[in-house]
Amino acid sequence: MLKDLVLKNRSYRRFYQDYELDTDVLRKLVDLARLSSSSANLQPLKYILSADRDRNAQIFAALGWAGYLKEWDGPAEGERPAAYIVMLLDHAVSKTPFWDHGIAAQSILLGAVERGLGGCMFGNVRKDDLRRALEIDERYEILQVIALGKPKEEVRLVPLGAEGDVKYYRDAAGVHYVPKRPLDELILG
Amino acid sequence: MLKDLVLKNRSYRRFYQDYELDTDVLRKLVDLARLSSSSANLQPLKYILSADRDRNAQIFAALGWAGYLKEWDGPAEGERPAAYIVMLLDHAVSKTPFWDHGIAAQSILLGAVERGLGGCMFGNVRKDDLRRALEIDERYEILQVIALGKPKEEVRLVPLGAEGDVKYYRDAAGVHYVPKRPLDELILG
């Protein structure tokens, strides 16, 4: 059932770093994005893949982790992502992704979950640093980075906190809690 | 396999209009969007559901159909969508959807395909008309409309046309062809 995949597809931020992914898996995930719909069928998204220790380190250095966890700078060595997909907008094709980036990321991450993997989308990226490190041409706008790996944390959905707080949090055992709005709040009529 | 759902999840624009959907199905599809990830977990999206003949007609009147099919004004009576989900951004929560609208739409449409349904995302919406017809408060920005129903057309993926043309087209039998870029064009490295 798709719902099982959707439920398992949480934002994971700690991984079994030594569980390696190969580039062929990343290509298969990008293929799911390729086969998904695109606004006006323009297909302006491009991808850089990384499953390599050195390149992974360069990408990791450009990411801002978990804005709501102020005490946490991101996963320690040994719990970092095993791979990344950097999603770019090719300005030679379109100046806007419309909503293609969300569609593509959702296809990629659902595909990852189906393979027993998991990941996290990053909008909080030091883009100038990443552009320099990966030598990305100005023609391409960096839209987001998807971190991937074998998840090493438990993520639980819970009701909203007091006064409707949506901030995620962790308990002492490291379980990550994500407050979700109830369905009736989302449906206006 | 997720890939089967992704492949079946084409943009469908003609439907068995008398194949009715009930609101409970629409709620279940929105629940898939609700359980999907949201940038900074803000969850700013709201939804209006329609599986009602009069409301469907109001929404239909606000849609621009298939920009590349210049000779076609949209499906005739009898082949129109049986239901719609209007996706809104609640400005009281966030002024931008980031990429949540793509994520949500993909979850909704993959869920529809799993149920033997299908649909199409519309960015080309006469938003002022729709706002008036559905009495949508200014607090909510209209992001997109998802049309849904039992598909009554065949959609085939094909390689790009001459000179890399991405425009979709139909043959005399009404089969709809969608050119897709090859995987190697999308992966820069």
Side-chain angles (χ1 to χ4, degrees):
Chain A
M1 280 284 292
L2 179 68
K3 187 168 182 176
D4 299 321
L5 285 185
V6 166
L7 281 168
K8 256 189 247 176
N9 181 26
R10 311 287 22 119
S11 294
Y12 297 105
R13 296 178 178 87
R14 289 181 297 165
F15 303 90
Y16 293 97
Q17 190 172 339
D18 55 2
Y19 185 100
E20 292 183 10
L21 273 71
D22 67 26
T23 310
D24 186 55
V25 169
L26 302 181
R27 287 176 61 88
K28 288 199 167 76
L29 296 177
V30 170
D31 204 40
L32 293 174
R34 180 181 80 87
L35 296 168
S36 299
S37 80
S38 168
S39 294
N41 199 38
L42 292 174
Q43 308 163 68
L45 304 182
K46 299 280 158 77
Y47 303 87
I48 294 173
L49 313 182
S50 177
D52 160 278
R53 171 173 283 270
D54 291 342
R55 201 183 236 187
N56 282 357
Q58 289 177 311
I59 297 171
F60 179 84
L63 301 180
W65 286 83
Y68 295 139
L69 303 180
K70 298 297 181 197
E71 311 290 299
W72 192 66
D73 287 337
E77 185 64 37
E79 296 189 339
R80 292 181 179 166
Y84 297 92
I85 296 174
V86 180
M87 191 189 291
L88 308 170
L89 177 66
D90 185 348
H91 279 211
V93 177
S94 175
K95 303 293 185 201
T96 163
F98 297 97
W99 43 65
D100 285 14
H101 43 352
I103 293 171
Q106 184 68 343
S107 290
I108 286 169
L109 282 165
L110 289 172
V113 167
E114 187 179 51
R115 292 167 177 273
L117 305 170
C120 186
M121 303 175 207
F122 288 83
N124 184 1
V125 178
R126 288 178 287 277
K127 294 182 179 175
D128 291 344
D129 294 354
L130 187 61
R131 183 181 296 283
R132 259 193 310 273
L134 301 186
E135 298 178 350
I136 298 170
D137 191 276
E138 290 293 335
R139 163 177 168 182
Y140 303 104
E141 177 185 339
I142 298 170
L143 293 175
Q144 64 166 243
V145 173
I146 301 175
L148 291 162
K150 185 83 175 170
K152 196 184 173 181
E153 65 179 2
E154 186 188 348
V155 179
R156 289 187 203 158
L157 300 183
V158 291
L160 292 195
E163 296 171 19
D165 195 353
V166 295
K167 292 191 196 74
Y168 47 77
Y169 54 93
R170 281 196 192 144
D171 67 15
V175 175
H176 186 99
Y177 297 88
V178 179
K180 282 287 187 189
R181 299 186 193 281
L183 185 59
D184 284 327
E185 186 181 323
L186 306 191
I187 295 177
L188 300 186
Chain B
M1 280 284 291
L2 179 68
K3 188 168 182 177
D4 299 321
L5 285 185
V6 166
L7 281 168
K8 256 190 245 174
N9 182 26
R10 311 287 21 120
S11 294
Y12 296 105
R13 295 179 178 85
R14 289 181 296 166
F15 302 91
Y16 294 97
Q17 189 171 340
D18 53 3
Y19 186 99
E20 292 184 9
L21 274 70
D22 67 25
T23 310
D24 186 54
V25 169
L26 301 181
R27 286 176 60 88
K28 288 197 166 77
L29 296 178
V30 170
D31 203 40
L32 293 173
R34 180 181 81 86
L35 295 168
S36 298
S37 80
S38 168
S39 295
N41 200 37
L42 292 173
Q43 308 164 67
L45 304 183
K46 299 282 156 78
Y47 303 87
I48 295 173
L49 314 182
S50 177
D52 159 278
R53 170 174 283 271
D54 292 342
R55 200 182 236 188
N56 282 358
Q58 289 177 312
I59 297 171
F60 179 84
L63 300 179
W65 286 84
Y68 295 138
L69 303 180
K70 299 295 182 199
E71 311 291 298
W72 191 65
D73 287 336
E77 185 64 38
E79 296 188 338
R80 293 182 179 164
Y84 297 92
I85 295 174
V86 179
M87 191 189 292
L88 308 170
L89 177 66
D90 185 347
H91 279 210
V93 178
S94 176
K95 302 295 185 199
T96 163
F98 299 97
W99 42 65
D100 285 14
H101 42 353
I103 294 171
Q106 185 68 342
S107 290
I108 287 169
L109 282 164
L110 289 173
V113 166
E114 187 178 52
R115 292 166 178 272
L117 305 170
C120 187
M121 302 174 207
F122 288 84
N124 184 0
V125 177
R126 288 179 287 277
K127 293 183 180 176
D128 290 344
D129 293 355
L130 187 61
R131 183 181 296 283
R132 260 194 308 274
L134 300 186
E135 299 178 346
I136 298 171
D137 191 277
E138 290 293 336
R139 164 178 168 180
Y140 303 105
E141 178 185 338
I142 298 170
L143 294 175
Q144 63 166 247
V145 173
I146 302 175
L148 292 162
K150 185 85 176 169
K152 197 186 173 181
E153 66 180 1
E154 187 187 346
V155 179
R156 289 188 203 158
L157 300 183
V158 291
L160 292 196
E163 296 172 19
D165 194 353
V166 296
K167 292 191 197 73
Y168 46 78
Y169 54 93
R170 282 197 192 143
D171 67 15
V175 176
H176 186 99
Y177 296 88
V178 179
K180 282 288 185 188
R181 300 186 192 280
L183 185 59
D184 284 328
E185 185 181 324
L186 306 191
I187 295 177
L188 301 187

